[in-house]
């Protein structure tokens, strides 16, 4: 357990004590912050500053009132103003903002400086390190690039025993998801972050990706001597959720499926007239919105002064019940537990509604395994792992104000990132 303690003496405030307790310095682990020896009822400003790996400065502040004992404990007491209000033990971390950049950089951790002030007088301060899970050497995680029959990054935690494993499939961004993969590896999972497009030897876009490619990756992972081959799950987010669900519906030996911001149907490929995915050489039936609907919706958003987002286009396809039924993913064929994770304000596509449809389909088919849908208030599309910072508990969510809207509020996305991570780990541990 890591402790930091700072004591400051001023003319009006004797021996203010600031204690910062970290059970782990990893940035997705909680910090306990407490100040003591304050005058009862005094108003104190807590200011947090962090410098990330790109030298961007992130800041937050919150105001607290000392209790009758002269203590302020952030784990049990509410902020009355500043970057957030209410009782949020890690609020100073997820509420940080940067004037110069929209995502906190996660290639390395950051030095955090916490300052306590009363009436603009500093009464205590201290610094401490918050470590990135991408600092693999420090965590005893081996990172391997696989660039042959499959394209993947492989993360292997140090262990004397065989470890459970996860195949991780990212979304339409196409990048390797180092943040999410290393986060899972830090919890003891071998993680194969499989790339399935936009790389030499792979399709340029999400067009006719064969399920057999995932099967090849699954077999490679199962053959690794350090992996428990009977304990391999699959996880996909956004577009990758389709691939994860389709794979589990057509191949066995998967222990569980986690689908983040999921779709209940196969969508059109990135080439006209083609499906996103294939099996045994045949494209899956797919859903697509019409050019007429696309043009109408774009004009409507422009006329309303609404920031562009894709959600209404995807939603418009559901009026064609025949097309949607043909494109539906047969989740009832999956032979393992399934967890759906969604944000109720997803503006990229209606993931909460689509997850509900899969839940109804499973119920109607008397699905024989555990299945759950966890949907979070005021959360959008990327709260559970869309990119750097996204989906990392206690880091500030990406600021979408200058880009295509993804949905949710800053606080909603931040709280959903932390809660969904806890919920997801509980689901995996239960079924691994």
């Amino acid at each position: 357990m890591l402790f930091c303690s700072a004591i400051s003496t001023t003319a009006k405030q004797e021996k203010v004590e600031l204690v910062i307790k970290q059970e782990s310095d990893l940035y997705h682990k909680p910090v306990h912050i407490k100040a003591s020896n304050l005058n009862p009822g005094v108003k104190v400003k807590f200011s947090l500053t962090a410098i990330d790996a790109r030298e961007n400065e992130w800041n937050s502040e919150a105001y607290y009132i000392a209790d009758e004992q002269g203590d302020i404990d952030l784990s049990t007491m509410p902020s009355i103003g500043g970057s957030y209000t209410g009782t949020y033990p890690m609020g100073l971390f997820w509420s940080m903002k940067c004037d110069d950049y929209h995502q906190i950089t996660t290639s390395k951790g950051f030095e955090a400086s916490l300052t306590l002030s009363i009436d603009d007088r500093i009464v205590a301060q201290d610094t401490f390190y918050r470590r990135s899970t991408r600092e693999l050497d420090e965590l005893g995680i081996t990172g391997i690039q696989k660039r042959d029959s499959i394209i993947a990054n492989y993360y292997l935690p140090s262990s004397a025993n065989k470890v459970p494993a996860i195949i991780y499939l990212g979304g339409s961004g196409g990048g390797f998801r180092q943040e999410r993969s290393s986060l899972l590896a830090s919890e003891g999972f071998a993680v194969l972050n499989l790339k399935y497009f936009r790389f030499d030897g792979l399709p340029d876009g999400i067009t006719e990706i064969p399920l057999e490619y995932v099967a090849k990756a699954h077999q490679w992972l199962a053959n690794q001597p350090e992996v428990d081959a009977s304990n391999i799950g699959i996880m996909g987010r956004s577009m990758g959720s389709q691939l994860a669900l389709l794979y589990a519906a057509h191949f066995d030996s998967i222990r569980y499926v986690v689908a983040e911001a999921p779709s209940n149907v196969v969508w059109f490929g990135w080439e006209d007239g083609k499906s996103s995915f294939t099996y045994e050489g045949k494209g899956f039936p797919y859903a697509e919105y019409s050019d007429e609907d696309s043009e109408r919706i774009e004009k409507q958003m422009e006329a309303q002064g609404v920031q562009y987002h894709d959600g209404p286009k995807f939603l418009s396809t559901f009026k064609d019940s025949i097309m949607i039924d043909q494109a539906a993913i047969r989740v009832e064929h999956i032979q393992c537990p399934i967890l759906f994770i969604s944000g109720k304000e997803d503006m990229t596509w209606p993931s909460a509604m689509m997850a509900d449809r899969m839940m109804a389909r499973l119920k109607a088919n008397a699905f024989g395994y555990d299945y759950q849908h966890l949907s979070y208030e005021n959360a959008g599309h990327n709260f559970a792992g869309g990119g750097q910072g996204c989906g990392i508990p206690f880091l500030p969510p990406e600021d979408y104000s200058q880009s295509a809207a993804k949905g949710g509020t800053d606080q909603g996305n931040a709280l959903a990132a932390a809660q969904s991570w806890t919920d997801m780990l509980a689901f995996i541990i239960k079924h691994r």
Side-chain angles (χ1 to χ4, degrees):
M1 189 169 295
L2 308 175
F3 292 90
C4 298
S5 181
I7 297 178
S8 175
T9 302
T10 69
K12 294 185 178 181
Q13 193 73 55
E14 297 295 329
K15 296 182 179 178
V16 175
E17 183 177 7
L18 172 61
V19 176
I20 302 167
K21 183 189 300 182
Q22 300 188 93
E23 294 187 7
S24 165
D25 63 2
L26 291 174
Y27 52 24
H28 70 290
K29 300 295 186 179
V31 181
H32 185 193
I33 298 172
K34 184 176 181 180
S36 302
N37 297 324
L38 293 155
N39 290 330
V42 70
K43 183 179 179 180
V44 181
K45 181 170 77 171
F46 287 66
S47 302
L48 185 69
T49 298
I51 307 297
D52 71 16
R54 291 186 177 177
E55 300 298 319
N56 293 311
E57 182 175 306
W58 295 77
N59 294 284
S60 63
E61 61 182 35
Y63 293 88
Y64 289 85
I65 302 295
D67 65 17
E68 294 179 354
Q69 286 73 43
D71 296 335
I72 297 175
D73 187 337
L74 270 61
S75 66
T76 59
M77 297 174 67
S79 164
I80 62 170
S83 302
Y84 64 96
T85 58
T87 305
Y88 298 106
M90 295 295 289
L92 284 169
F93 296 87
W94 55 252
S95 69
M96 291 191 296
K97 289 287 188 180
C98 177
D99 293 334
D100 302 315
Y101 201 60
H102 64 108
Q103 281 185 305
I104 194 164
T105 302
T106 61
S107 56
K108 293 182 180 179
F110 54 81
E111 191 82 4
S113 299
L114 182 61
T115 301
L116 275 60
S117 55
I118 300 172
D119 296 330
D120 296 325
R121 293 180 294 104
I122 295 176
V123 297
Q125 56 187 347
D126 206 352
T127 60
F128 53 101
Y129 192 66
R130 298 293 283 164
R131 188 172 305 282
S132 169
T133 56
R134 290 173 63 185
E135 297 177 59
L136 303 183
D137 290 343
E138 298 294 331
L139 302 179
I141 297 172
T142 302
I144 299 170
Q145 294 184 347
K146 184 165 174 57
R147 304 289 187 268
D148 41 52
S149 59
I150 61 171
I151 306 300
N153 286 347
Y154 180 50
Y155 300 80
L156 179 65
S158 177
S159 175
N161 303 310
K162 287 181 177 289
V163 295
I166 296 172
I167 301 168
Y168 186 81
L169 304 166
S172 61
F176 285 109
R177 289 277 65 89
Q178 300 175 73
E179 300 78 21
R180 199 69 164 170
S181 299
S182 63
L183 192 66
L184 289 162
S186 75
E187 296 288 343
F189 296 93
V191 181
L192 187 69
N193 180 196
L194 182 65
K195 204 168 180 18
Y196 52 96
F197 74 104
R198 198 178 291 163
F199 203 91
D200 291 345
L202 297 176
D204 291 334
I206 304 177
T207 302
E208 297 189 337
I209 309 297
L211 298 191
E212 290 85 352
Y213 175 69
V214 182
K216 189 181 298 184
H218 186 184
Q219 188 60 57
W220 181 88
L221 186 59
N223 287 340
Q224 300 312 298
E226 59 274 352
V227 167
D228 179 356
S230 68
N231 195 350
I232 298 176
I234 192 166
M235 185 182 305
R237 66 157 281 100
S238 193
M239 287 294 288
S241 71
Q242 300 167 66
L243 187 51
L245 291 165
L246 286 168
Y247 180 74
H250 290 82
F251 292 84
D252 57 14
S253 300
I254 286 291
R255 196 64 171 262
Y256 53 82
V257 183
V258 177
E260 302 173 338
S263 171
N264 70 314
V265 299
V266 177
W267 291 102
F268 53 92
W270 292 12
E271 292 182 28
D272 288 345
K274 294 184 178 181
S275 179
S276 292
F277 306 104
T278 69
Y279 178 54
E280 295 182 340
K282 297 176 60 177
F284 286 96
Y286 59 89
E288 64 178 338
Y289 43 78
S290 68
D291 291 340
E292 293 77 13
D293 279 339
S294 178
E295 183 177 356
R296 172 183 58 79
I297 289 167
E298 286 186 19
K299 287 182 177 179
Q300 187 177 50
M301 282 191 279
E302 183 178 1
Q304 294 174 344
V306 174
Q307 186 182 24
Y308 174 80
H309 56 283
D310 291 324
K313 293 184 180 182
F314 285 102
L315 186 61
S316 71
T317 64
F318 285 85
K319 64 188 178 185
D320 188 339
S321 59
I322 295 176
M323 177 178 65
I324 291 296
D325 182 63
Q326 290 174 342
I329 298 171
R330 273 43 181 177
V331 289
E332 67 274 15
H333 294 165
I334 294 173
Q335 299 182 44
C336 64
I338 309 171
L339 175 63
F340 305 112
I341 295 174
S342 71
K344 292 185 178 181
E345 294 185 8
D346 188 336
M347 297 177 72
T348 296
W349 64 18
S351 60
M353 182 202 78
M354 293 191 288
D356 282 341
R357 285 187 170 224
M358 287 186 282
M359 291 290 287
R361 187 182 190 100
L362 292 170
K363 182 178 180 179
N365 284 276
F367 190 64
Y369 301 87
D370 184 18
Y371 58 103
Q372 301 177 34
H373 175 204
L374 303 177
S375 194
Y376 299 89
E377 300 286 345
N378 303 313
H381 188 72
N382 273 7
F383 76 91
Q388 284 204 110
C390 298
I392 308 297
F394 313 134
L395 289 189
E398 181 179 3
D399 179 1
Y400 297 116
S401 60
Q402 303 301 320
S403 62
K406 299 292 193 295
T409 64
D410 287 345
Q411 178 167 312
N413 284 320
L415 296 178
Q419 188 59 55
S420 65
W421 175 254
T422 298
D423 295 340
M424 182 187 69
L425 280 183
F427 178 86
I428 292 174
I429 289 170
K430 177 182 178 181
H431 296 295
R432 70 180 180 183

